[in-house]
Amino acid sequence: MQQNLARDVDMRRSDNFKNSYENKFEKQDKKTSGNASGNPRGAGRKRRLSPEQLEQIRQAYAEGRTITELAKEYGISRQTLSGYLNESREVENVIKSASKWKKLNREFPSEHLEKYSMRMDYMCREELCTVILISFRDQEILIRNHTMDVIHRAFGIKEKPDWKDFEEFLEDRCFPRTRFQLQMILSDLGLDFYDPLAIIEKTQGKMAEDLQWIRIWYFRAGLNEDTLVE
């Protein structure tokens, strides 16, 4: 009975959390689009990008235009635009087969894996410590710890971290915002603003003071690929 009650509470919390967001980082877009429409409070519907706009943005970004320029042109925040680009980045460890994605994440057998477009393996040398599945659209994460050592876990003793915990985790694996000559360092990484996720994609979250790092997997099922529907 206690397990059922706990599960019901978790489901209600999840539903409430999902209803609070329509897309990745669109909480910030609400403010941006509201100001652009003469609504200083950002009231009304949140800004969405069409598939055609996303493809135009990806092409322009690949041709060298900056996130700042494109965010201003399309009327969304830099963080939101960065999130869209992160979800579709053509890099190593991109999985386009849903069955392979399901196999990789077999430790989450009862979850709707199509929701999660990124997986982070939090490592200590070659030992897997914590798996993190990330849904940017719903701003949700799932984790599985693979070590009993809480020092090496991504979220320590927390078994059910939330989105804020995840954002704090990302920033903890980056150099600080107050770093001397920050803009020069960002420029060397090919970034034009401080984005913890983008920094980790470049640095693997490696820090001088420990042996932990982050391996990232991306899920991007193609139109002609198999789906997760059984």
Side-chain angles (χ1 to χ4, degrees):
M1 181 177 295
Q2 290 180 343
Q3 290 180 342
N4 291 338
L5 179 60
R7 185 174 64 251
D8 291 342
V9 171
D10 287 341
M11 290 178 64
R12 287 198 297 271
R13 286 176 177 170
S14 176
D15 291 340
N16 291 337
F17 197 76
K18 287 190 289 185
N19 290 335
S20 300
Y21 299 93
E22 290 184 6
N23 219 322
K24 180 186 176 184
F25 297 129
E26 286 197 350
K27 182 178 180 181
Q28 299 179 38
D29 275 349
K30 183 177 180 180
K31 182 177 180 180
T32 303
S33 60
N35 290 340
S37 62
N39 182 354
R41 295 185 298 105
R45 293 185 60 83
K46 300 172 184 177
R47 180 66 185 273
R48 282 182 177 273
L49 294 176
S50 68
E52 292 77 15
Q53 287 176 315
L54 286 175
E55 191 56 40
Q56 292 169 2
I57 288 172
R58 289 168 187 147
Q59 181 64 32
Y61 184 69
E63 292 173 355
R65 296 197 57 193
T66 68
I67 289 177
T68 298
E69 292 172 340
L70 292 168
K72 183 176 181 181
E73 179 177 332
Y74 285 85
I76 61 175
S77 71
R78 296 180 303 177
Q79 289 81 1
T80 299
L81 182 53
S82 177
Y84 283 123
L85 294 172
N86 285 333
E87 284 186 335
S88 60
R89 208 179 292 267
E90 293 289 352
V91 294
E92 243 179 287
N93 293 349
V94 172
I95 296 178
K96 295 185 178 182
S97 165
S99 59
K100 290 181 179 178
W101 184 245
K102 188 173 183 179
K103 184 177 180 181
L104 175 65
N105 296 293
R106 53 186 173 273
E107 57 217 306
F108 303 94
S110 61
E111 302 295 339
H112 298 291
L113 295 177
E114 69 276 9
K115 292 174 44 177
Y116 301 93
S117 59
M118 180 182 288
R119 167 184 167 127
M120 288 186 174
D121 293 341
Y122 189 52
M123 312 288 292
C124 182
R125 291 183 175 171
E126 297 305 314
E127 178 189 358
L128 177 60
C129 298
T130 302
V131 172
I132 310 170
L133 281 186
I134 304 122
S135 169
F136 290 106
R137 294 190 180 277
D138 294 329
Q139 294 198 336
E140 290 182 359
I141 62 171
L142 293 175
I143 73 164
R144 290 291 185 275
N145 290 311
H146 286 254
T147 177
M148 297 297 292
D149 187 349
V150 295
I151 295 178
H152 288 162
R153 291 179 178 181
F155 302 96
I157 63 173
K158 287 190 176 182
E159 296 290 343
K160 293 184 179 180
D162 59 21
W163 191 257
K164 183 180 178 183
D165 294 320
F166 175 62
E167 291 180 322
E168 291 174 353
F169 164 74
L170 293 180
E171 194 148 346
D172 283 344
R173 300 308 303 178
C174 299
F175 47 82
R177 295 174 183 267
T178 55
R179 181 76 173 266
F180 178 64
Q181 295 185 331
L182 176 64
Q183 291 304 318
M184 182 181 298
I185 298 171
L186 292 175
S187 178
D188 289 342
L189 292 173
L191 304 174
D192 62 343
F193 70 100
Y194 188 91
D195 178 351
L197 177 57
I199 292 171
I200 287 173
E201 287 180 307
K202 301 283 187 178
T203 66
Q204 295 185 309
K206 293 180 178 178
M207 308 291 285
E209 59 268 21
D210 62 37
L211 299 173
Q212 299 204 248
W213 58 285
I214 298 169
R215 178 173 58 206
I216 299 180
W217 304 83
Y218 304 82
F219 174 56
R220 189 184 180 191
L223 294 177
N224 296 323
E225 299 290 340
D226 53 341
T227 68
L228 290 172
V229 178
E230 298 292 341

